[in-house]
Amino acid sequence: MPKRRSLSSFLLLIAASTNVVLSQQPKQQLQPLGDVLHLVLDKDKDQKVTMDEVNSQITMLEQLFAEGDEGEEYRNLLKGVKVAAPKMFELLDSTGDETLSKFELKYMTKFEKSLKKEGGMRDLLREVFTLLDSDGDDQLNVDELLEGSKSSEVITKITVQFHQLFPLRKTAGGLEDFVKS
């Protein structure tokens, strides 16, 4: 019976193999995140990703990291992903057809790019922070977060700014309706 290898040994083997393969190929740019997600999640290759396909991939990853101390961090991460996935799916599904097209998944690439230095996310977060920091002390407390989440004016301002960076709905009002639902 072959010995079971630890996750770290397996990952080391993959990393070494990848290094050999990459060193033999011309350097190429990484594919955009949205394209990679579409490729990985669209199991039946019908050009649309369903929530069942997302759940199937999450389950596969849970099984992959089911045992051993090395997988604990990934198991915890997957718990959070499993909770957030339905709402993220609904947010990205701008057409409301309960599938994600390659175009809709491109927002993940846009999100990834927004995190870079001049990508816009930093400015958005500063503006949101300023809106929520009602006492102007440069700190957010629970009361300010709760107050902001209940304020129609604050929600409107945040969704308008978010919509400018990520037009996930036809209008900022449509995005605001989604947030309030």
Side-chain angles (χ1 to χ4, degrees):
M1 177 175 261
K3 286 185 180 178
R4 282 188 68 156
R5 301 207 185 272
S6 71
L7 179 61
S8 57
S9 298
F10 180 69
L11 292 175
L12 185 61
L13 178 64
I14 290 173
S17 300
T18 303
N19 190 34
V20 169
V21 170
L22 290 176
S23 67
Q24 296 173 359
Q25 295 179 353
K27 301 287 182 203
Q28 47 182 233
Q29 194 173 27
L30 294 176
Q31 286 188 345
L33 179 59
D35 292 349
V36 171
L37 287 173
H38 190 263
L39 182 69
V40 170
L41 295 173
D42 185 19
K43 289 178 68 175
D44 62 7
K45 304 303 177 205
D46 66 352
Q47 301 302 307
K48 293 180 182 246
V49 174
T50 65
M51 193 62 214
D52 286 341
E53 289 173 315
V54 172
N55 285 332
S56 172
Q57 293 295 63
I58 292 171
T59 299
M60 186 268 307
L61 289 170
E62 286 174 327
Q63 291 169 353
L64 180 67
F65 297 111
E67 297 178 20
D69 293 338
E70 297 94 353
E72 183 67 27
E73 185 176 343
Y74 294 107
R75 287 191 295 274
N76 289 334
L77 178 66
L78 285 170
K79 284 179 190 175
V81 168
K82 201 171 197 172
V83 169
K87 205 60 171 171
M88 285 297 300
F89 187 94
E90 188 181 350
L91 176 64
L92 291 170
D93 181 18
S94 61
T95 61
D97 65 354
E98 298 183 359
T99 65
L100 297 179
S101 65
K102 195 170 187 176
F103 175 79
E104 289 167 319
L105 281 168
K106 287 200 182 284
Y107 283 108
M108 294 304 294
T109 302
K110 188 169 176 106
F111 177 78
E112 178 186 37
K113 289 180 179 179
S114 77
L115 297 174
K116 294 183 178 166
K117 190 170 183 170
E118 300 298 322
M121 183 59 77
R122 181 176 292 179
D123 293 337
L124 173 66
L125 291 176
R126 281 187 187 129
E127 291 171 25
V128 169
F129 185 93
T130 300
L131 279 170
L132 294 173
D133 184 23
S134 58
D135 63 9
D137 68 351
D138 289 333
Q139 296 181 12
L140 291 180
N141 59 49
V142 173
D143 291 335
E144 289 172 319
L145 291 172
L146 289 173
E147 181 183 318
S149 71
K150 294 176 184 175
S151 168
S152 185
E153 180 183 347
V154 169
I155 292 170
T156 298
K157 287 179 180 181
I158 290 172
T159 54
V160 165
Q161 292 170 351
F162 189 86
H163 186 265
Q164 289 173 347
L165 194 57
F166 305 106
L168 294 166
R169 298 291 183 271
K170 289 182 182 179
T171 66
L175 183 59
E176 182 178 353
D177 292 342
F178 172 82
V179 168
K180 288 181 175 178
S181 66

